[in-house]
Amino acid sequence: MRLAPHVFTIAAAVAVTLLAGRVYQPVRAETPAPMTAEQLAALEARAIAAAGAPAGLTTPEAMQVQIRKGETFEQAIRRTGVGVEEAKAVVATIAAAFDVSQLGAGLKFETAVARPRGGRGGDSRLIGLTMRTGPASQLTVSRTFDGALRLRALEEKVTHETVVLKGEVQGSLYATAQRMGASGAVTRKAVQLFSHKFDMDRDIRASDEFTLVFARTVTETGRVVETGELLYAELKGQVFYRFKPVGGGETQYFDATGKNTRSAFMRTPLAGGYRMSSSFGYRRHPISGYRRMHQGIDFAAGTGTPIVAPADGVVVEARRWGGYGNWLRIRHSNGLESGYGHLSRYASGIRPGQRVRQGQVVAYVGSTGASTGPHLHYEIWRNGQRINPAGVKTQEGTILSGAELTAFRAEKARIDRVILAGGERRAGQASALRPASNG
């Protein structure tokens, strides 16, 4: 059972009246016997009921602290208002069981602090501290009745799952998969793969069936603490199996025969299925009102939607360009270039001369320049001439052979068995920070 961190930090307030004036010494860390969900719930109820105002001190106040850049764990504790010796005692207590050198900038922890009543001077009193040391584990420091600091380690049991998610598209594949429990990373990868084969706006319809297979780690309460990679994806007869070639090559996706399903050019440059709001060809311009050639495709998408490179290439331009607003142009192989207009901003590191990989986020949708609202204006150039992006046809990937094909077939058979069984589950451990060294 998962409890809010402040429950355990405030629980120690019950004993504060017995602690006034004592010197607090760190105690040896201990890991108590596992508690049942009912026992934990009872502990929570007693802590909340009994955590009144300690003698001479205010009611314990829950404070979240985050370690700042260049700051030590002890210094972060001191920012709560407690004294130097008390902060050192807390650090020493935790260090008895845990490698505190790992507690760096960005880590957050919860404290319960009682302050002197009536504005009297003096240090505040640390009643308790809780911090998460892993996706399914946490440490809690509280005080015993004799004033010593006590360390309690709480860890939820975890299960490693291989999930087989089957459903029908309702709205968009991206939204449907996320509603059904797939993570954003898994869903984005699936959409990226299918973008090699489909126009995610025009080719995918409601009730199209799909299957996604991915790994994840969940706690005994059902909380997802880790999500693995997409292992398999299927939509409208197109299948993708994840496979890492023998010898530690790049992880790729292949069809059932061992053919690399990655095409030289993705059909759409958005990391999701978005409606095409204006096609290539003559139209009435939404601002000028005149009929003129629209030399690209517009996609309706909200500001900040990620834009990905449809193929490997080199950034040629990343600048302001008239009515296009923030403009990006990427040069690809075979005389092709892609262009993106009205961007809100560029992805980190995107500048002229920068190499990009297929599927890499290069910019974000916006409404800069001559634009009536957030959207992506997308162009394809071939040998310096604009062409219809919807008509670009490119060569498919390579086919596995020899030992790599044999290894792929074994991995494919394993994934197929998981799909047939509807998924699999096994007990395991979630990753966590290192315990203290005994040496």
Side-chain angles (χ1 to χ4, degrees):
M1 177 178 180
R2 184 189 179 203
L3 299 179
H6 66 270
V7 170
F8 295 101
T9 56
I10 291 179
V14 178
V16 168
T17 53
L18 301 178
L19 308 178
R22 296 189 181 181
V23 177
Y24 307 118
Q25 299 296 328
V27 298
R28 190 174 181 180
E30 60 176 298
T31 303
M35 301 178 68
T36 66
E38 291 75 14
Q39 289 172 326
L40 287 172
L43 173 63
E44 177 181 11
R46 291 198 304 272
I48 293 175
L57 299 171
T58 62
T59 301
E61 171 189 354
M63 293 179 59
Q64 185 180 77
V65 182
Q66 183 172 15
I67 301 178
R68 297 170 178 168
K69 185 176 181 180
E71 184 179 54
T72 65
F73 179 44
E74 181 182 326
Q75 289 169 335
I77 295 174
R78 287 289 314 282
R79 283 195 284 111
T80 65
V82 304
V84 174
E85 293 305 316
E86 188 152 292
K88 287 182 180 296
V90 173
V91 173
T93 299
I94 294 177
F98 204 76
D99 184 0
V100 295
S101 68
Q102 294 186 78
L103 307 180
L107 184 136
K108 297 179 180 178
F109 56 92
E110 292 278 347
T111 64
V113 177
R115 308 192 184 283
R117 284 185 181 277
R120 295 199 304 266
D123 295 327
S124 298
R125 180 76 51 78
L126 183 72
I127 305 304
L129 180 149
T130 298
M131 68 176 177
R132 189 163 289 285
T133 56
S137 60
Q138 68 180 32
L139 292 177
T140 296
V141 176
S142 59
R143 296 197 183 279
T144 63
F145 286 96
D146 63 357
L149 293 169
R150 183 190 189 195
L151 184 68
R152 177 182 289 274
L154 299 174
E155 185 164 357
E156 293 182 89
K157 295 179 181 178
V158 297
T159 301
H160 297 306
E161 298 181 339
T162 302
V163 179
V164 178
L165 193 68
K166 293 188 176 185
E168 295 183 351
V169 175
Q170 300 294 333
S172 72
L173 173 63
Y174 189 92
T176 304
Q178 286 213 296
R179 282 197 302 269
M180 295 179 65
S183 71
V186 164
T187 307
R188 283 191 295 272
K189 187 62 180 181
V191 171
Q192 178 187 328
L193 291 172
F194 292 131
S195 293
H196 289 283
K197 302 297 182 181
F198 305 114
D199 181 316
M200 297 302 289
D201 173 48
R202 294 182 294 178
D203 296 340
I204 307 304
R205 297 287 181 265
S207 299
D208 283 341
E209 296 182 349
F210 69 91
T211 301
L212 303 180
V213 179
F214 55 91
R216 70 181 183 186
T217 301
V218 299
T219 67
E220 54 193 319
T221 58
R223 182 170 57 92
V224 178
V225 294
E226 293 177 348
T227 301
E229 293 188 69
L230 177 69
L231 302 177
Y232 173 90
E234 179 180 0
L235 176 67
K236 297 186 69 170
Q238 293 288 343
V239 299
F240 297 85
Y241 288 88
R242 177 189 177 276
F243 175 66
K244 189 169 186 176
V246 178
E250 179 187 2
T251 298
Q252 300 178 48
Y253 290 82
F254 299 82
D255 67 13
T257 66
K259 181 178 180 180
N260 188 332
T261 54
R262 170 176 159 170
S263 63
F265 230 85
M266 294 168 61
R267 295 288 299 276
T268 56
L270 292 177
Y274 293 91
R275 178 177 60 86
M276 185 174 68
S277 56
S278 186
S279 60
F280 184 91
Y282 282 96
R283 65 168 187 175
R284 186 175 298 280
H285 194 275
I287 295 179
S288 68
Y290 293 110
R291 182 174 173 79
R292 54 194 292 187
M293 183 67 176
H294 184 232
Q295 301 188 93
I297 289 177
D298 289 349
F299 292 95
T303 297
T305 299
I307 300 166
V308 300
D312 294 350
V314 178
V315 175
V316 178
E317 294 178 312
R319 63 184 179 91
R320 191 85 178 184
W321 189 25
Y324 286 94
N326 291 332
W327 164 258
L328 174 66
R329 184 161 61 98
I330 301 174
R331 179 172 295 141
H332 309 284
S333 60
N334 301 318
L336 292 174
E337 295 181 341
S338 56
Y340 315 81
H342 311 303
L343 309 175
S344 61
R345 60 188 176 96
Y346 305 100
S348 176
I350 296 300
R351 58 187 179 277
Q354 178 68 40
R355 299 197 64 85
V356 295
R357 299 295 304 273
Q358 185 179 62
Q360 177 182 336
V361 175
V362 293
Y364 300 88
V365 172
S367 187
T368 55
S371 170
T372 58
H375 72 284
L376 169 65
H377 175 77
Y378 178 54
E379 295 184 355
I380 295 293
W381 304 48
R382 173 172 280 148
N383 300 323
Q385 300 294 319
R386 292 179 176 90
I387 62 173
N388 187 350
V392 175
K393 297 185 182 299
T394 56
Q395 187 175 1
E396 298 290 336
T398 57
I399 301 177
L400 293 172
S401 61
E404 287 191 340
L405 179 58
T406 300
F408 167 75
R409 286 172 174 167
E411 175 64 4
K412 173 184 176 297
R414 184 189 73 84
I415 294 174
D416 287 342
R417 288 194 296 270
V418 172
I419 295 173
L420 186 63
E424 64 179 11
R425 294 166 56 90
R426 58 185 176 84
Q429 286 187 329
S431 58
L433 299 176
R434 294 192 305 272
S437 173
N438 293 324

